[in-house]
Amino acid sequence: MLYAPARKTKARSLVPPDLGSSVVAEAMPPEAQLRSIRLEALAEFAPLLAGAVVLSCFVLTGILFRQIELSHVIAWSLLVIASSWIMVRRLENNALLYVRREPPRGALIEAGVLMGLVAAAWASIPAAVYRSQPDDIQTVLVGAFCAMMCGALAIAAVPSAAVIWAGILAGGLGLALHLGGDRFSLPLTILVLFHLGFVFAVIRRNAHLLSDRADREARQQVDVEAATRLMREYEERGTSCLWQTDAAHILTYATPGIAVLLGRPMNRLVGSALPALIGGSGTLGSAMLGRAAFNGIEVEFGEGRNRRSIAFSGTPIVDSAGGFLGFRGSCSDVTETRSSERRLRQLASLDVLTELPNRMRMRELLGEALLSARASGRPCGLVLLDLDGFKPVNDTFGHPKGDAVLKTVAERLVAQIGNHGIVGRLGGDEFGIVLHDAQNRKTVNELADTLIAQVSEPYVLDGVSVRIGVSIGSAFGPVDGDTVDDLVKKADLALYEAKAAGRGTYRQFERSMQTEAENRLRLEHDLRLALQLNQFRLFYQPLIDAQTQEVKGFEALIRWQHPVRGFVSPAEFVPLAEEIGLIHEMGEWVARTAIRDCAQWPSPISVAVNLSPIQLGSPGLPAMISDALSRAKLAANRLELEVTESVFLQDSEGSLDVLRRLRALGVRIALDDFGTGYSSLGYLNRTIFNKLKIDGSFVRGAANRSETVSIIQAIVTLANCFGMTITAEGVETQEDWCRMADLGCHQMQGYLFGRPVPFERATDLVGTHWSEARRLASA
């Protein structure tokens, strides 16, 4: 190392003695700090340089004792000693003076002058007597000069002083060689210059190193001060408490907050083992024994309301040799945080309205019940409940009243279940019950019947007595399912069967339900592929004019010929297509195919296409029909779209808007299956329908019931008032034909005229009379 490190004074200590220390020296500007370091280094090496100067003076005095006058030797020696002593004392005084304050630039100039005086004093006699000395003494003097020039390396911390020192000595030696004038003066001068250049290069390099060191220390000083301020603010805000231990885990430092946190006086904390202070926590003790950093170790201590949770974090302290000195860390009170987390977890597992366990919590409880059932061999049960007729209550009385009903249902269920199980709300009007002991299925059946009776009791809303029902399905674990998901699926299948059977029913899971569900899934999968694989076909059933007996058109009916199942009834796959959202794609295929086929028949043969109520919910339906008519170049009045009365039970305004837009295209609209389900003569005044189709049940009933004939007469009379075409469906006998014709029906449709046939057979029927059509259809 070419320069001495600065003495470690308290004023410039870069690291506080401990975490509690707040004494940090004020940071000097980098240039001032560099001057301070240089003065400090110069003061440290000045005594060594002075000693070398005095020692060499004594040696040369001995050599020159008989070569020059004694008075000159003594005077020279005293001058060198005095100048050296003055230099050392002055430099040391300056170093102490500028320890805590910024040194001026003149301090370094003064140091250079002092060094120059000592160098000049030492070089005065050797340079003056060099010429008169013999060769051997001259050689000694040259060596002494070169050696003293190297002393500049000791004071290289102050480049100006080192340059002055080396320059004066080199100048003195150069003057002596020049005055000597012997044959070796030139080579010696060159050697001295080379030596001087080397010394200057080292001085310059050392100056750069010292400057870099000063910059680093300045930056470190700023970082330390910033960290110290942050630590002080951290303590003052009280967000955490700071602590420090020795290698034996004895607390050596602690902020006052720890005393408050632990409920002990400060004088009983410092000097005690940290793990013992918090009740001998094994987790914290193990972490500290590992002598590795740890974070967020939570420790609980105290009793009752005084019980606290504290989170500890610590970092090991090691010396420069890697020896373990203890831990330094922080701790904070997380009692309120953990309490809030527990409350949030509790709220997250409860239904807000009924304060019953929610779906997530019920799954957890069901998982625990399954584990217990497998361990004890006593089955558990899952009961799912879905309210019947609850939606009208919400729609009629509003959601607040509906919520009141749900709360009452929850209270009735809890009161009836008692300690036999846990009631939860799964969402909406769905509830669930986890039964811990479901070994006796007869008891579960009786419980279900009781729940149905309890829920069906009236609810008084705004002075009005309201009744709802409940459908219940159950499954038992691990018999029906040994996982939560499996058991929920089985209970849901049972509930589905209960709702399909009507209101107020209960079903237990049976294997056949699983088989049906799997068959349904397979059918759903195959149905999605049927369009892609071109498995659908359109068959056409003729419409006969009641007066002329001519074929006036056809009704398009979709058929599915499954490669494995064979013929699949539309009554089976059409509702499934509606449920899975495939009805739009399927309906578009039917409409486009029927329109394309009809375009190949002569005018005015028409085609009728059935529309699902779900299709009428699509605002894009009129645009699709218009595009299909345009592509096939078919007149709009040759297309009839048939809808049933059920469309008015859904979004009636939206559906009527779509029907009006369709009629605006010129398409004819027919009301199919009139007289069944939700029939109402009020639908006829909507001025939308061109045709009314009387359901086949009325046609067949007219043969035996006179009141049915009266109803048909009324329907025909009213429909005629609105200018509608009337079609009688389900005509199967000659008597049906004659009766419907006499009652005023305009068209007939039914098996009397033949069953639905493919497009090619239907084409053969175009332009024929019904008797001939029957013969062709049966051929």
Side-chain angles (χ1 to χ4, degrees), residues 537-592:
R537 296 289 185 271
L538 280 188
F539 279 51
Y540 295 93
Q541 188 173 31
L543 295 169
I544 306 299
D545 188 282
Q547 300 299 323
T548 65
Q549 301 180 17
E550 292 179 332
V551 176
K552 303 296 289 182
F554 298 90
E555 180 179 358
L557 301 170
I558 188 171
R559 295 292 183 264
W560 182 14
Q561 186 66 33
H562 193 279
V564 177
R565 298 171 184 265
F567 172 76
V568 182
S569 171
E572 185 176 357
F573 70 81
V574 171
L576 180 59
E578 291 178 335
E579 186 176 339
I580 66 177
L582 194 62
I583 193 65
H584 295 285
E585 186 178 355
M586 184 187 301
E588 181 175 351
W589 178 84
V590 171
R592 289 186 181 276

Side-chain angles (χ1 to χ4, degrees), residues 427-451:
D429 58 354
E430 298 178 14
F431 292 84
I433 303 172
V434 175
L435 299 176
H436 302 300
D437 183 0
Q439 189 169 15
N440 191 332
R441 297 202 177 190
K442 182 180 178 181
T443 303
V444 178
N445 286 343
E446 295 173 352
L447 176 63
D449 292 339
T450 304
L451 292 177

Side-chain angles (χ1 to χ4, degrees), residues 125 400 699:
I125 290 299
V699 174

